[in-house]
């Protein structure tokens, strides 16, 4: 990792805020003992410098806490569970403990959790995806915290990453759909703002549309949070159009299962009346009827490789390297040719 200079100290904060180090300490440890204006000046200095509280600095000075922090977007479904389990197993074999936080897909919560994990002395961090403010990356370099990204492979990302090409994986699936004869296509996606995985999967569908000389006007996209009921509601919205899609590609299996259940409630045959596909190949995709056609993501391999790479970054004091993992389409019964083909 590149270096941006030494980590900021309590003295640095005090000088920037124009107060004593004792005042800074009180602001951080006993804020009720300091007037509001002074607290605000100190907090502004802390934010500007990216200062980490003293007890974390002491842990960092000791070079090892044997703790790794991981921040995932959600704990409410199984999308991250398998990979995180493999990540923890590999860490445990090397004597590391895992601390896990969930950001609920909210960038401001993730930023707070990064600071908290660093302050608690985490030796390294695992983050999901690449979309976040530049200042966060600058702080991670300033703090000299080895950090790895998973679930999204970008060769030119700011951090080393162990993941897969979300755009190419979804483009492959979309090409399969188009190859069966579908021309009116819908997408039920997760919220793409701040989520490069969702954004890249949308772009993958758009790539396939263009590659097959189709028009983007035949593509309808609905973005919604990753919940089964939201997938169902989005499916209803797509099918209410004057010319509804004959195939709907969902950003993950959770949304796809919601769409599938709503199709069945509406008396529609899948794939006879409309095809539905998922993404991730979690257990849920395998137990529904019809079984989902989806994209298999190598969750366990990704978790194991991510842990191994992050341990190497820590123990070898190296910058880390990326690795693109392969995905493949899992054929279910939810995808077929359009009815009029």
């Amino acid at each position: 990792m590149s270096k941006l200079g030494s980590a900021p100290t309590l003295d640095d904060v005090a000088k920037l805020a124009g107060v004593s180090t004792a005042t800074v300490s009180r602001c951080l440890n006993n804020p009720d003992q300091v007037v509001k204006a002074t607290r605000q000046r100190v907090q502004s200095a802390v934010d500007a410098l990216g200062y980490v509280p003293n007890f974390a600095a002491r842990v960092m000075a000791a070079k090892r806490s044997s703790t790794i922090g991981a921040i995932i977007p959600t704990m409410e479904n199984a999308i991250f569970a398998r990979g995180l389990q493999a990540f923890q197993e590999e860490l445990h074999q090397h004597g590391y403990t895992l601390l896990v936080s969930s950001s609920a897909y909210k960038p401001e919560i993730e930023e707070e959790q990064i600071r908290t994990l660093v302050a608690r002395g985490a030796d390294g961090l695992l983050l999901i995806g690449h979309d976040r403010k530049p200042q966060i990356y600058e702080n991670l370099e300033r703090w000299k915290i080895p950090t790895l990204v998973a679930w999204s492979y970008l060769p030119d990302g700011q951090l080393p990453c162990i993941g897969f090409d979300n755009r190419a994986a979804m483009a492959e699936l979309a090409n399969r759909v188009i190859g069966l004869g579908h021309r009116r296509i819908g997408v039920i996606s997760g919220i793409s703002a701040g989520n490069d995985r969702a954004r890249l999967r949308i772009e993958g569908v758009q790539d396939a549309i263009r590659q097959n000389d189709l028009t983007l006007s035949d593509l309808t996209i609905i973005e919604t949070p990753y919940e089964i009921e939201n997938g169902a509601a989005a499916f209803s919205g797509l099918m209410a159009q004057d010319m509804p899609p004959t195939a709907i590609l969902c950003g993950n299996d959770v949304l796809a299962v919601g769409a599938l259940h709503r199709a069945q409630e509406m008396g529609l045959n899948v794939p006879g009346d409309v095809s539905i596909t998922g993404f991730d190949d979690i257990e849920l995709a395998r137990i529904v009827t019809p079984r989902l056609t989806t994209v298999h993501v190598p969750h366990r391999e990704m978790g194991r490789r991510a842990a191994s790479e992050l341990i190497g970054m820590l123990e070898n004091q190296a910058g880390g390297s990326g690795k693109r993992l392969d995905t493949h389409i899992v054929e279910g019964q939810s995808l077929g040719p359009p009815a009029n083909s």
Side-chain angles (χ1 to χ4, degrees):
M1 299 180 67
S2 61
K3 298 180 179 179
L4 297 182
S6 59
T9 66
L10 194 73
D11 285 336
D12 295 330
V13 175
K15 289 175 182 177
L16 184 58
V19 298
S20 67
T21 55
T23 298
V24 174
S25 181
R26 281 196 297 274
C27 284
L28 297 176
N29 298 308
N30 303 102
D32 292 340
Q33 298 179 10
V34 185
V35 298
K36 182 178 180 180
T38 302
R39 290 202 311 268
Q40 290 175 338
R41 289 211 316 277
V42 169
Q43 188 60 52
S44 295
V46 167
D47 293 340
L49 293 170
Y51 174 72
V52 179
N54 264 351
F55 86 92
R58 289 195 298 268
V59 171
M60 292 170 65
K63 303 299 183 184
R64 186 63 57 89
S65 70
S66 297
T67 299
I68 301 295
I71 303 173
I72 62 175
T74 181
M75 296 182 185
E76 289 189 341
N77 59 55
I79 290 172
F80 300 102
R82 197 182 308 165
L84 203 63
Q85 179 65 32
F87 183 74
Q88 177 173 281
E89 290 169 1
E90 187 71 16
L91 290 179
H92 179 71
Q93 290 183 12
H94 291 81
Y96 288 86
T97 298
L98 177 63
L99 293 178
V100 182
S101 296
S102 171
S103 67
Y105 288 97
K106 295 180 180 179
E108 67 277 9
I109 293 180
E110 186 198 54
E111 182 175 3
E112 176 186 325
Q113 290 170 338
I114 288 172
R115 287 180 173 273
T116 298
L117 287 169
V118 173
R120 291 181 181 275
D123 289 332
L125 296 176
L126 177 75
L127 304 178
I128 307 300
H130 298 269
D131 283 2
R132 52 187 56 86
K133 295 190 299 186
Q135 185 181 359
I136 295 176
Y137 290 113
E138 293 169 4
N139 282 339
L140 289 170
E141 291 194 34
R142 181 182 290 116
W143 299 331
K144 301 180 179 60
I145 297 296
T147 305
L148 185 75
V149 165
W151 268 267
S152 182
Y153 177 78
L154 290 178
D156 56 352
Q158 295 194 57
L159 293 172
C161 51
I162 305 292
F164 56 95
D165 189 328
N166 285 270
R167 185 170 183 165
M170 185 59 100
E172 181 184 8
L173 180 60
N175 275 310
R176 178 74 59 88
V177 169
I178 294 169
L180 288 170
H182 293 279
R183 296 298 178 264
R184 297 195 310 276
I185 296 173
V187 172
I188 302 176
S189 169
I191 304 299
S192 61
N195 183 338
D196 56 291
R197 288 91 59 215
R199 172 174 50 79
L200 290 167
R201 292 175 196 181
I202 291 173
E203 291 175 1
V205 179
Q206 294 169 333
D207 289 344
I209 293 288
R210 287 187 287 261
Q211 290 164 6
N212 288 275
D213 297 322
L214 304 179
T215 62
L216 291 176
S217 61
D218 291 325
L219 176 67
T220 304
I221 301 169
I222 293 179
E223 296 188 12
T224 188
Y226 291 122
E227 296 177 7
I228 288 177
E229 56 267 32
N230 293 336
F235 178 86
S236 295
L238 289 171
M239 300 307 292
Q241 297 178 108
D242 292 337
M243 296 289 287
T246 60
I248 297 174
L249 288 81
C250 298
N252 71 6
D253 293 335
V254 172
L255 293 174
V257 168
L260 178 62
H261 284 179
R262 181 56 51 85
Q264 294 168 340
E265 290 174 352
M266 295 171 65
L268 297 173
N269 177 268
V270 179
D273 296 318
V274 60
S275 289
I276 298 171
T277 65
F279 197 109
D280 282 320
D281 190 26
I282 61 174
E283 285 81 357
L284 189 62
R286 307 172 192 176
I287 64 173
V288 294
T289 304
R291 178 171 173 165
L292 283 175
T293 293
T294 186
V295 173
H296 174 75
V297 172
H299 293 102
R300 286 195 60 85
E301 180 186 5
M302 184 165 49
R304 180 180 58 79
R305 284 179 175 265
S308 179
E309 183 65 27
L310 191 50
I311 290 168
M313 293 166 66
L314 283 164
E315 299 186 351
N316 301 324
Q317 297 185 348
S321 60
K323 174 67 175 179
R324 175 179 171 175
L325 305 180
D326 293 331
T327 61
H328 63 267
I329 296 172
V330 176
E331 301 285 358
Q333 295 79 46
S334 67
L335 173 62
N340 59 357
S341 63

